[in-house]
Amino acid sequence: MRHHLVGFLAGTLFGLGLCLSGLADPAVVLGFLDLAGAWNPTLLFVMTAALTVTLIGYRIAFARGHPLWSSHFRVPTATAIDTPLVSGAVIFGIGWGLAGYCPGPAVVSLASARGEVVIFIAAMLVGMIAVRLLRVRFPALPMMGPPQRVSGKGAKNPTAGVRS
Amino acid sequence: MQSFAFAAIGGGLIGVAAVLLMSLSGRIAGISGLIAGLLPPQPAHDWRLRLSFIAGLLLAPMVLNALAVPNGIGAPMLSYAAMIPAGLLVGIGSVLANGCTSGHGICGLARLSPRSLLATATFMLTAMATVLVMRHVI
């Protein structure tokens, strides 16, 4: 139960951060991505602040060895640079650059009750389901990649390349 | 200048949220991963935590509305029809790459993950190239 509360609180804070920072406005996001136009550096400030807090906070959290209310950190264990990672990032970037929405800001923007946002989310869910189904149906396809694996119980090193 | 201060405060809140979820529950605050784990063929066993996080995301703008603070939600920039390919690409790409702006761009970079660094650099570049083509070439 307390994990649900943590999830709810973290989601709310995350959403407030998206709203206040300007990331819930696709004009701001596309303004950052538009290097050849009137460049808007807002996203740089958001990323720098978020990354600084997370870098420091994660180090403190990982130094404890395990989460306060759980036996182990569940973090991705994959280290290979593979086709799905790169092709997925390429595809994701094109979609992000078209609409100015990545998943978080799109979900938050549902509050505006705009049909365009609903369509975007619906299409995004269809895309997600398609890849998940194809992975199960055709596990041998190298371009699809395996589903994400996270570290299991007893994993000691949640950081990739960090020695604490 | 004021918007940059809000950007830093908002970014800080995003960081606090990510740290909170990791230090208490040991989880990555990656939105695409949290959402994808709720979908077919098989929702993850921890679907309640995932749903709670999404509910929090949806609540946030309503909290600001209740406080009479601008919720920062901007108007969509694409037509209904154009939202379909954009959404499909974001959905397909984020599941293939196992992460999006939050999972790779914030949580992964904060873990100093080489995979996340490559993914973030890649999607930043293709997003910038896309905007370049859409706004200055076509």
mmCIF file of all heavy atoms in Angstrom, chain A residues 1 39 41 51 54 59 66-68 77 81-82 100 118 127 135 142 147 163:
data_model
loop_
_atom_site.group_PDB
_atom_site.id
_atom_site.type_symbol
_atom_site.label_atom_id
_atom_site.label_comp_id
_atom_site.label_asym_id
_atom_site.label_seq_id
_atom_site.Cartn_x
_atom_site.Cartn_y
_atom_site.Cartn_z
ATOM 1 N N MET A 1 0.833 -1.205 0.000
ATOM 2 C CA MET A 1 0.000 0.000 0.000
ATOM 3 C C MET A 1 0.866 1.252 0.000
ATOM 4 O O MET A 1 0.634 2.188 -0.761
ATOM 5 C CB MET A 1 -0.910 -0.023 1.241
ATOM 6 C CG MET A 1 -1.921 1.117 1.268
ATOM 7 S SD MET A 1 -3.034 1.053 -0.153
ATOM 8 C CE MET A 1 -3.521 2.741 -0.309
ATOM 9 N N TRP A 39 15.750 30.062 -30.827
ATOM 10 C CA TRP A 39 16.013 28.979 -29.886
ATOM 11 C C TRP A 39 15.533 29.311 -28.483
ATOM 12 O O TRP A 39 15.794 30.410 -27.972
ATOM 13 C CB TRP A 39 17.503 28.627 -29.858
ATOM 14 C CG TRP A 39 17.787 27.374 -29.085
ATOM 15 C CD1 TRP A 39 17.281 26.144 -29.334
ATOM 16 C CD2 TRP A 39 18.637 27.244 -27.948
ATOM 17 N NE1 TRP A 39 17.763 25.230 -28.417
ATOM 18 C CE2 TRP A 39 18.594 25.884 -27.553
ATOM 19 C CE3 TRP A 39 19.423 28.137 -27.215
ATOM 20 C CZ2 TRP A 39 19.308 25.400 -26.461
ATOM 21 C CZ3 TRP A 39 20.130 27.658 -26.133
ATOM 22 C CH2 TRP A 39 20.078 26.286 -25.763
ATOM 23 N N PRO A 41 15.877 28.118 -24.697
ATOM 24 C CA PRO A 41 16.712 27.233 -23.877
ATOM 25 C C PRO A 41 16.017 26.637 -22.657
ATOM 26 O O PRO A 41 16.661 25.933 -21.871
ATOM 27 C CB PRO A 41 17.843 28.167 -23.430
ATOM 28 C CG PRO A 41 17.230 29.513 -23.400
ATOM 29 C CD PRO A 41 16.157 29.544 -24.451
ATOM 30 N N LEU A 51 18.430 16.747 -13.566
ATOM 31 C CA LEU A 51 19.559 15.823 -13.566
ATOM 32 C C LEU A 51 20.449 16.030 -12.337
ATOM 33 O O LEU A 51 20.928 15.056 -11.740
ATOM 34 C CB LEU A 51 20.364 16.033 -14.851
ATOM 35 C CG LEU A 51 21.174 14.860 -15.362
ATOM 36 C CD1 LEU A 51 20.344 13.588 -15.384
ATOM 37 C CD2 LEU A 51 21.679 15.167 -16.778
ATOM 38 N N THR A 54 18.665 14.533 -9.342
ATOM 39 C CA THR A 54 18.606 13.073 -9.433
ATOM 40 C C THR A 54 19.983 12.434 -9.253
ATOM 41 O O THR A 54 20.115 11.410 -8.569
ATOM 42 C CB THR A 54 17.989 12.642 -10.783
ATOM 43 O OG1 THR A 54 16.806 13.402 -11.019
ATOM 44 C CG2 THR A 54 17.639 11.171 -10.790
ATOM 45 N N ARG A 59 22.721 8.910 -5.734
ATOM 46 C CA ARG A 59 23.965 8.488 -5.079
ATOM 47 C C ARG A 59 23.718 8.233 -3.599
ATOM 48 O O ARG A 59 24.212 7.263 -3.030
ATOM 49 C CB ARG A 59 25.035 9.554 -5.261
ATOM 50 C CG ARG A 59 25.518 9.614 -6.686
ATOM 51 C CD ARG A 59 26.972 9.947 -6.736
ATOM 52 N NE ARG A 59 27.552 9.404 -7.952
ATOM 53 C CZ ARG A 59 28.845 9.192 -8.119
ATOM 54 N NH1 ARG A 59 29.676 9.467 -7.138
ATOM 55 N NH2 ARG A 59 29.297 8.716 -9.237
ATOM 56 N N HIS A 66 19.972 -0.462 -0.280
ATOM 57 C CA HIS A 66 18.625 -0.893 -0.686
ATOM 58 C C HIS A 66 17.639 0.236 -0.406
ATOM 59 O O HIS A 66 17.903 1.098 0.439
ATOM 60 C CB HIS A 66 18.211 -2.167 0.049
ATOM 61 C CG HIS A 66 18.079 -1.982 1.531
ATOM 62 N ND1 HIS A 66 16.910 -1.594 2.135
ATOM 63 C CD2 HIS A 66 18.989 -2.083 2.533
ATOM 64 C CE1 HIS A 66 17.096 -1.487 3.445
ATOM 65 N NE2 HIS A 66 18.348 -1.785 3.706
ATOM 66 N N PRO A 67 16.484 0.215 -1.109
ATOM 67 C CA PRO A 67 15.487 1.262 -0.862
ATOM 68 C C PRO A 67 14.952 1.162 0.564
ATOM 69 O O PRO A 67 15.001 0.096 1.177
ATOM 70 C CB PRO A 67 14.380 0.966 -1.878
ATOM 71 C CG PRO A 67 14.952 -0.010 -2.839
ATOM 72 C CD PRO A 67 16.045 -0.739 -2.144
ATOM 73 N N LEU A 68 14.445 2.270 1.063
ATOM 74 C CA LEU A 68 13.959 2.318 2.444
ATOM 75 C C LEU A 68 12.846 1.289 2.679
ATOM 76 O O LEU A 68 12.817 0.624 3.707
ATOM 77 C CB LEU A 68 13.431 3.732 2.722
ATOM 78 C CG LEU A 68 13.481 4.208 4.171
ATOM 79 C CD1 LEU A 68 14.888 4.101 4.727
ATOM 80 C CD2 LEU A 68 12.961 5.641 4.266
ATOM 81 N N THR A 77 19.238 -3.896 -16.236
ATOM 82 C CA THR A 77 20.542 -4.564 -16.154
ATOM 83 C C THR A 77 21.255 -4.618 -17.502
ATOM 84 O O THR A 77 22.417 -4.964 -17.565
ATOM 85 C CB THR A 77 20.368 -6.014 -15.650
ATOM 86 O OG1 THR A 77 19.383 -6.651 -16.473
ATOM 87 C CG2 THR A 77 19.906 -6.031 -14.211
ATOM 88 N N ILE A 81 24.940 -2.089 -26.211
ATOM 89 C CA ILE A 81 24.450 -1.091 -27.165
ATOM 90 C C ILE A 81 23.923 -1.892 -28.355
ATOM 91 O O ILE A 81 24.699 -2.461 -29.118
ATOM 92 C CB ILE A 81 25.603 -0.174 -27.624
ATOM 93 C CG1 ILE A 81 26.260 0.500 -26.428
ATOM 94 C CG2 ILE A 81 25.115 0.825 -28.653
ATOM 95 C CD1 ILE A 81 25.387 1.448 -25.662
ATOM 96 N N ASP A 82 22.595 -2.000 -28.488
ATOM 97 C CA ASP A 82 22.051 -2.856 -29.540
ATOM 98 C C ASP A 82 21.124 -2.087 -30.475
ATOM 99 O O ASP A 82 20.830 -0.908 -30.266
ATOM 100 C CB ASP A 82 21.350 -4.074 -28.925
ATOM 101 C CG ASP A 82 20.372 -3.665 -27.837
ATOM 102 O OD1 ASP A 82 20.022 -2.482 -27.772
ATOM 103 O OD2 ASP A 82 19.959 -4.537 -27.058
ATOM 104 N N GLY A 100 6.086 17.495 -30.267
ATOM 105 C CA GLY A 100 6.525 18.233 -29.088
ATOM 106 C C GLY A 100 6.062 17.574 -27.800
ATOM 107 O O GLY A 100 6.196 18.150 -26.717
ATOM 108 N N VAL A 118 -5.691 13.526 -26.883
ATOM 109 C CA VAL A 118 -6.302 12.197 -26.742
ATOM 110 C C VAL A 118 -5.864 11.303 -27.900
ATOM 111 O O VAL A 118 -5.506 10.134 -27.706
ATOM 112 C CB VAL A 118 -7.839 12.314 -26.678
ATOM 113 C CG1 VAL A 118 -8.474 10.932 -26.595
ATOM 114 C CG2 VAL A 118 -8.255 13.167 -25.481
ATOM 115 N N GLY A 127 1.068 2.032 -30.476
ATOM 116 C CA GLY A 127 2.464 1.754 -30.824
ATOM 117 C C GLY A 127 3.149 0.900 -29.765
ATOM 118 O O GLY A 127 3.882 -0.044 -30.081
ATOM 119 N N ARG A 135 7.084 -8.551 -29.823
ATOM 120 C CA ARG A 135 8.197 -9.150 -29.085
ATOM 121 C C ARG A 135 7.845 -10.541 -28.588
ATOM 122 O O ARG A 135 8.679 -11.442 -28.583
ATOM 123 C CB ARG A 135 8.547 -8.271 -27.878
ATOM 124 C CG ARG A 135 9.584 -7.243 -28.194
ATOM 125 C CD ARG A 135 9.942 -6.476 -26.948
ATOM 126 N NE ARG A 135 10.967 -5.496 -27.267
ATOM 127 C CZ ARG A 135 11.276 -4.473 -26.497
ATOM 128 N NH1 ARG A 135 10.622 -4.282 -25.362
ATOM 129 N NH2 ARG A 135 12.232 -3.649 -26.840
ATOM 130 N N PRO A 142 15.815 -9.854 -34.205
ATOM 131 C CA PRO A 142 16.827 -9.105 -33.463
ATOM 132 C C PRO A 142 16.507 -7.624 -33.361
ATOM 133 O O PRO A 142 16.904 -6.966 -32.410
ATOM 134 C CB PRO A 142 18.104 -9.341 -34.278
ATOM 135 C CG PRO A 142 17.638 -9.716 -35.638
ATOM 136 C CD PRO A 142 16.319 -10.402 -35.467
ATOM 137 N N PRO A 147 12.298 -7.941 -23.987
ATOM 138 C CA PRO A 147 11.687 -7.014 -23.046
ATOM 139 C C PRO A 147 12.696 -6.586 -21.989
ATOM 140 O O PRO A 147 13.688 -7.277 -21.749
ATOM 141 C CB PRO A 147 10.549 -7.821 -22.432
ATOM 142 C CG PRO A 147 10.805 -9.234 -22.781
ATOM 143 C CD PRO A 147 11.704 -9.259 -23.956
ATOM 144 N N ARG A 163 31.140 3.760 -8.909
ATOM 145 C CA ARG A 163 31.567 3.041 -7.702
ATOM 146 C C ARG A 163 31.293 3.930 -6.509
ATOM 147 O O ARG A 163 31.738 5.065 -6.467
ATOM 148 C CB ARG A 163 33.059 2.708 -7.798
ATOM 149 C CG ARG A 163 33.306 1.579 -8.751
ATOM 150 C CD ARG A 163 34.788 1.318 -8.917
ATOM 151 N NE ARG A 163 34.992 0.405 -10.022
ATOM 152 C CZ ARG A 163 35.085 0.800 -11.283
ATOM 153 N NH1 ARG A 163 35.006 2.065 -11.572
ATOM 154 N NH2 ARG A 163 35.277 -0.074 -12.236
#
